[in-house]
Amino acid sequence: MKSAWGVIDESIHILMEGTPLTVDIDEVKRVLLQIPGVKSIHDLHIWTVTSGIDSLTCHLVIDNDQDSQSILQQAIMRIEEQFSIHHTTLQIEAKDFQHANLIV
Protein backbone atom coordinates (compact mmCIF):
# COMPACT_ATOMS: atom_id res chain seq x y z
CA MET A 1 0.00 0.00 0.00
CA LYS A 2 2.81 2.39 0.91
CA SER A 3 4.68 1.88 -2.40
CA ALA A 4 1.43 2.13 -4.35
CA TRP A 5 0.78 5.53 -2.76
CA GLY A 6 4.13 6.80 -4.15
CA VAL A 7 3.11 5.82 -7.69
CA ILE A 8 -0.35 7.37 -7.27
CA ASP A 9 1.12 10.56 -5.79
CA GLU A 10 3.62 10.94 -8.65
CA SER A 11 0.90 10.24 -11.23
CA ILE A 12 -1.38 12.91 -9.77
CA HIS A 13 1.50 15.40 -9.71
CA ILE A 14 2.16 14.73 -13.42
CA LEU A 15 -1.53 14.90 -14.37
CA MET A 16 -1.89 18.23 -12.54
CA GLU A 17 1.19 19.49 -14.43
CA GLY A 18 3.04 20.17 -11.21
CA THR A 19 6.55 21.56 -11.18
CA PRO A 20 9.08 18.71 -11.08
CA LEU A 21 10.37 18.17 -7.57
CA THR A 22 13.95 18.12 -8.90
CA VAL A 23 13.74 21.63 -10.40
CA ASP A 24 14.07 24.83 -8.36
CA ILE A 25 12.16 27.60 -10.18
CA ASP A 26 14.16 30.33 -8.44
CA GLU A 27 17.38 28.72 -9.68
CA VAL A 28 15.99 28.57 -13.23
CA LYS A 29 15.19 32.29 -13.05
CA ARG A 30 18.66 33.06 -11.69
CA VAL A 31 20.34 31.11 -14.52
CA LEU A 32 18.27 32.82 -17.22
CA LEU A 33 18.81 36.29 -15.73
CA GLN A 34 22.59 35.73 -15.91
CA ILE A 35 22.43 35.75 -19.72
CA PRO A 36 23.72 39.14 -20.90
CA GLY A 37 20.85 41.23 -22.27
CA VAL A 38 18.05 39.45 -20.38
CA LYS A 39 16.25 42.03 -18.24
CA SER A 40 13.36 40.03 -16.80
CA ILE A 41 11.38 36.83 -17.03
CA HIS A 42 7.66 36.24 -16.79
CA ASP A 43 5.09 33.50 -17.40
CA LEU A 44 7.60 30.84 -16.36
CA HIS A 45 6.02 27.38 -16.26
CA ILE A 46 7.83 24.09 -15.69
CA TRP A 47 5.95 20.81 -15.65
CA THR A 48 6.36 17.09 -16.10
CA VAL A 49 4.88 15.70 -19.31
CA THR A 50 5.49 12.12 -18.27
CA SER A 51 7.86 10.45 -15.87
CA GLY A 52 11.36 11.75 -16.63
CA ILE A 53 10.32 14.24 -19.34
CA ASP A 54 9.99 17.86 -18.24
CA SER A 55 8.98 20.95 -20.23
CA LEU A 56 9.60 24.65 -19.73
CA THR A 57 7.97 27.73 -21.21
CA CYS A 58 8.59 31.38 -20.42
CA HIS A 59 8.94 34.88 -21.81
CA LEU A 60 12.35 36.57 -21.74
CA VAL A 61 12.42 40.35 -21.88
CA ILE A 62 15.64 41.60 -23.47
CA ASP A 63 17.25 44.92 -24.23
CA ASN A 64 16.12 46.29 -27.59
CA ASP A 65 19.61 46.22 -29.09
CA GLN A 66 20.35 42.56 -28.25
CA ASP A 67 20.53 39.61 -30.66
CA SER A 68 17.38 37.67 -29.80
CA GLN A 69 18.52 34.48 -31.58
CA SER A 70 21.78 34.39 -29.66
CA ILE A 71 19.94 34.85 -26.36
CA LEU A 72 17.44 32.17 -27.34
CA GLN A 73 20.24 29.70 -28.10
CA GLN A 74 22.04 30.48 -24.84
CA ALA A 75 18.85 30.08 -22.81
CA ILE A 76 17.92 26.73 -24.37
CA MET A 77 21.47 25.43 -23.90
CA ARG A 78 21.64 26.49 -20.24
CA ILE A 79 18.25 24.93 -19.46
CA GLU A 80 19.31 21.66 -21.08
CA GLU A 81 22.73 21.54 -19.44
CA GLN A 82 21.81 22.65 -15.94
CA PHE A 83 18.30 21.24 -15.51
CA SER A 84 18.11 18.40 -18.08
CA ILE A 85 14.99 19.94 -19.61
CA HIS A 86 15.02 19.21 -23.32
CA HIS A 87 11.62 20.59 -24.33
CA THR A 88 11.80 24.36 -23.97
CA THR A 89 9.60 27.00 -25.57
CA LEU A 90 10.76 30.59 -25.08
CA GLN A 91 9.24 33.82 -26.26
CA ILE A 92 11.68 36.69 -26.66
CA GLU A 93 10.25 40.18 -26.11
CA ALA A 94 11.94 43.53 -26.62
CA LYS A 95 12.13 45.67 -23.49
CA ASP A 96 9.56 48.15 -24.85
CA PHE A 97 7.11 45.44 -25.99
CA GLN A 98 3.60 46.03 -24.65
CA HIS A 99 1.16 43.16 -24.11
CA ALA A 100 -2.19 43.95 -25.67
CA ASN A 101 -5.39 42.31 -24.53
CA LEU A 102 -6.98 42.15 -27.95
CA ILE A 103 -10.14 40.24 -28.70
CA VAL A 104 -10.07 38.84 -32.20
Side-chain angles (χ1 to χ4, degrees):
M1 189 70 138
K2 188 175 183 178
S3 63
W5 176 250
V7 172
I8 291 169
D9 188 44
E10 182 181 353
S11 299
I12 291 171
H13 189 76
I14 290 170
L15 290 172
M16 298 301 292
E17 296 184 349
T19 301
L21 301 175
T22 58
V23 178
D24 179 351
I25 289 182
D26 291 329
E27 181 68 10
V28 172
K29 289 178 185 177
R30 187 186 68 72
V31 165
L32 292 172
L33 287 169
Q34 286 181 337
I35 298 170
V38 174
K39 292 296 159 197
S40 65
I41 299 166
H42 62 95
D43 293 334
L44 173 61
H45 303 284
I46 305 169
W47 70 99
T48 300
V49 176
T50 188
S51 185
I53 300 175
D54 300 328
S55 291
L56 178 147
T57 63
C58 77
H59 298 226
L60 299 177
V61 179
I62 66 171
D63 284 326
N64 296 338
D65 61 344
Q66 295 296 310
D67 179 358
S68 63
Q69 293 304 298
S70 174
I71 290 174
L72 178 62
Q73 289 174 341
Q74 289 179 62
I76 290 171
M77 185 177 59
R78 289 181 188 204
I79 294 300
E80 285 180 359
E81 290 175 354
Q82 295 185 26
F83 303 101
S84 296
I85 298 174
H86 302 285
H87 187 268
T88 303
T89 304
L90 301 172
Q91 179 171 320
I92 306 292
E93 300 172 357
K95 192 173 172 183
D96 59 0
F97 178 79
Q98 298 292 317
H99 282 274
N101 295 323
L102 302 176
I103 299 175
V104 179

